[in-house]
Amino acid sequence: MGSSFSSNSEFPAQGSTAALTASSSNPPAKAAVSASSAQDPVLKNCWSCRVLSGCTLLGAGTYVYFVARRPLKQGFPPGPGTVVQMVTGISIACWGVIVLIDPKGKDHQDV
């Protein structure tokens, strides 16, 4: 079995290196930014998408938090891993609440 690696083994001529450095110093056009900003408000106004993803994140964060608390209820002392897991669960749940509330979504009324 052979390798599927292939590369260009041709070297550019001496005169073309100056053209490459001159063209690489120019910044790229910003046409992609305007296309993504046009779709942004449409995707953020989808109420069912926000409810589904927000409730999912809230549930996942609650699950991670309570799984981390289970050894504490059995009397084991909390270790650093348990504390990190609890903080991660709380963070995921807060992210879900923020998705549900959507505090910056009120600016998307220009659709």
Side-chain angles (χ1 to χ4, degrees):
M1 295 206 212
S3 174
S4 64
F5 178 77
S6 64
S7 66
N8 188 4
S9 60
E10 296 178 16
F11 295 103
Q14 291 286 21
S16 65
T17 56
L20 286 175
T21 55
S23 66
S24 64
S25 64
N26 293 336
K30 296 185 179 183
V33 175
S34 63
S36 66
S37 65
Q39 293 177 352
D40 216 17
V42 174
L43 293 175
K44 290 186 178 181
N45 282 337
C46 179
W47 176 248
S48 62
C49 298
R50 278 195 6 233
V51 169
L52 181 67
S53 61
C55 288
T56 303
L57 286 169
L58 187 62
T62 304
Y63 174 77
V64 169
Y65 176 78
F66 281 116
V67 166
R69 272 196 58 148
R70 191 176 300 156
L72 298 178
K73 289 184 177 182
Q74 295 173 353
F76 293 110
T82 305
V83 173
V84 168
Q85 191 174 1
M86 290 172 69
V87 169
T88 303
I90 292 170
S91 301
I92 294 170
C94 288
W95 185 18
V97 170
I98 289 172
V99 168
L100 281 171
I101 293 173
D102 193 28
K104 290 192 110 181
K106 293 172 181 48
D107 297 336
H108 299 298
Q109 300 301 325
D110 57 340
V111 176

